[in-house]
Amino acid sequence: MPLHPPHHPPHQPDPNDLARLLTDVATGRISASDALATLTTGPFSTPNAGGSNAGGSNAGGGTATDRVTLDLDRQRRCGFPEVIYGDGKPADMIAGIIQAQQDAGQPSFATRVAAAVAEQVQAQIPGVRFNPIARTLTAGISDPPLPTPLPRSNDAAAVPDAAEIAHAAVVTAGSTDAPVAEEAIETLHWMGIPFRQFDDIGVAGPARLLAAVPHLREASAVVVIAGMEGALPAAVGGHLSVPVFAVPTSVGYGATLGGLTAMLGMLSSCASNVAVVNIDAGFKAAYLAGLVVRQLQRSA
């Protein structure tokens, strides 16, 4: 007779815990991807559902990376390794990709990683660093970035010949844009691109932007991150002679439509040096800015 595993009673989550989780998603305290990770890996998950996942195996047999075709040649072709989009990927799969990149001597970078998933990846691979604000994982690169590796101080001794150093600038309209800015900064750090950071200088306080303009003019490319009506990139672009990569964020009240209003405003900008990426796409804007800086570094 065939052997059957012992019967386990179905897991019964606490309804109060589930209600709190749904409330946190509805109020924006946590993201939907973080909530999904909690449901699948936390106290709401069903033990041994679909079989054991120990050792990186999945329910259908084999390892979690069996369905991954890793592009280890991308660094040679494109200058940088393949980036891991972490949203929806299990920890074993992300860990397997990172390990393969580390074995190949490539720096690893994963975006949109839920905190619960990041914790599991870190348990499998020592030395992986998680930025909970940016929701990014990095491995095989130098120490974490400073807030402003190139200080924006007026003190000439603090930044000798800052204009001569090819670098990117990351600008936020408000402090609520910080998660997108952190993703951009982690991207630049992974790329090895110097950057300067300018926070909370939105158009509601024009004097703040005007004070930063002399420093922004020293940058080789600028990432501008803004929600609400998305006016800041055009205002910044009108002062500069370098590319401005605008990032609309999903920050704002109902009429902002989750960032759509900001994106359409940025796309409609009459500032000729402004190009727009997707909503909350801090990675994409920083990657483009980093490519600009990299080309200037090569030509120097």
Side-chain angles (χ1 to χ4, degrees), residues 147-161:
T148 50
L150 292 176
R152 55 179 175 175
S153 168
N154 289 317
D155 182 1
V159 193
D161 300 322

Side-chain angles (χ1 to χ4, degrees), residues 59-137:
T63 66
T65 54
D66 281 347
R67 291 174 291 169
V68 173
T69 304
L70 186 58
D71 184 2
L72 292 174
D73 188 53
R74 189 173 300 191
Q75 186 169 31
R76 181 191 64 82
R77 299 193 322 270
C78 304
F80 299 96
E82 185 171 13
V83 178
I84 306 163
Y85 181 69
D87 194 12
K89 287 186 174 68
D92 289 336
M93 180 178 288
I94 295 175
I97 296 172
I98 291 177
Q99 189 61 63
Q101 290 180 322
Q102 296 300 289
D103 292 343
Q106 298 182 1
S108 302
F109 184 45
T111 65
R112 309 299 169 96
V113 181
V117 173
E119 184 177 357
Q120 295 178 52
V121 172
Q122 289 179 303
Q124 296 183 48
I125 304 180
V128 172
R129 182 173 62 83
F130 179 56
N131 182 328
I133 300 176
R135 293 190 297 151
T136 58
L137 289 171

Side-chain angles (χ1 to χ4, degrees), residues 243-273:
V244 173
F245 298 104
V247 187
T249 68
S250 50
V251 170
Y253 299 103
T256 58
L257 304 177
L260 183 60
T261 298
M263 183 177 71
L264 293 177
M266 293 174 181
L267 287 170
S268 303
S269 169
C270 62
S272 304
N273 56 338

Side-chain angles (χ1 to χ4, degrees), residues 159-175:
V159 193
D161 300 322
E164 301 302 319
I165 303 173
H167 66 276
V170 178
V171 179
T172 62
S175 56

Side-chain angles (χ1 to χ4, degrees), residues 154 196 198 209-219 240:
N154 289 317
R196 299 171 86 175
F198 301 85
L209 171 58
L210 293 177
V213 164
H215 304 295
L216 292 174
R217 285 177 175 158
E218 297 174 341
L240 307 180

